[in-house]
């Protein structure tokens, strides 16, 4: 998933997770938004709307990150989205396995 996943914030948290995932999928599939083929959309629980979107190719994630003005339309309202690169946190076990010590 490295380099293919973006974190998205700013959509209404009160949207049911399946509806939020559908709206985000439609937005990030569109080429005008830099989008492309998506392999996974995970809406994270919490008080703020937050999701992780994984694309098939890293270049799609880079294009999405290059777009400066993502806005999601929901119920006639527009919500500005904050899109950032998602950096996976490694567990201590993964760090230990990857080290050359």
């Amino acid at each position: 998933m490295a380099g293919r996943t973006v974190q998205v914030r700013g959509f209404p948290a009160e949207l049911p997770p399946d509806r939020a995932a559908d709206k985000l999928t439609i937005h990030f599939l569109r080429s005008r938004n830099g989008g492309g083929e998506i392999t996974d959309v995970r809406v994270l629980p919490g008080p703020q709307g937050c999701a992780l979107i994984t694309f098939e190719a890293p270049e799609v994630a880079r294009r999405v990150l290059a777009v400066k003005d993502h806005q999601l339309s929901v119920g006639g309202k527009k919500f500005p989205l904050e899109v950032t690169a998602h950096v996976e946190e490694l567990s201590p076990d993964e760090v230990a396995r990857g080290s050359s010590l």
Side-chain angles (χ1 to χ4, degrees), residues 4-82:
R4 298 186 302 134
T5 303
V6 298
Q7 184 177 62
V8 179
R9 294 182 182 276
F11 58 91
E14 61 273 5
L15 268 182
D18 58 337
R19 183 148 185 254
D22 288 347
K23 288 282 194 184
L24 291 168
T25 298
I26 292 166
H27 178 84
F28 288 106
L29 277 172
R30 291 186 175 139
S31 59
R32 72 175 178 205
N33 297 323
E37 291 301 312
I38 294 170
T39 60
D40 187 47
V41 176
R42 286 190 311 176
V43 177
L44 305 177
Q48 296 181 334
C50 183
L52 299 177
I53 301 175
T54 303
F55 296 96
E56 280 189 5
E59 55 269 15
V60 177
R62 285 193 291 275
R63 283 196 316 259
V64 164
L65 290 167
V67 173
K68 297 299 178 204
D69 187 28
H70 286 282
Q71 290 193 13
L72 189 68
S73 294
V74 179
K77 294 182 181 177
K78 292 191 182 278
F79 296 88
L81 299 177
E82 177 188 344

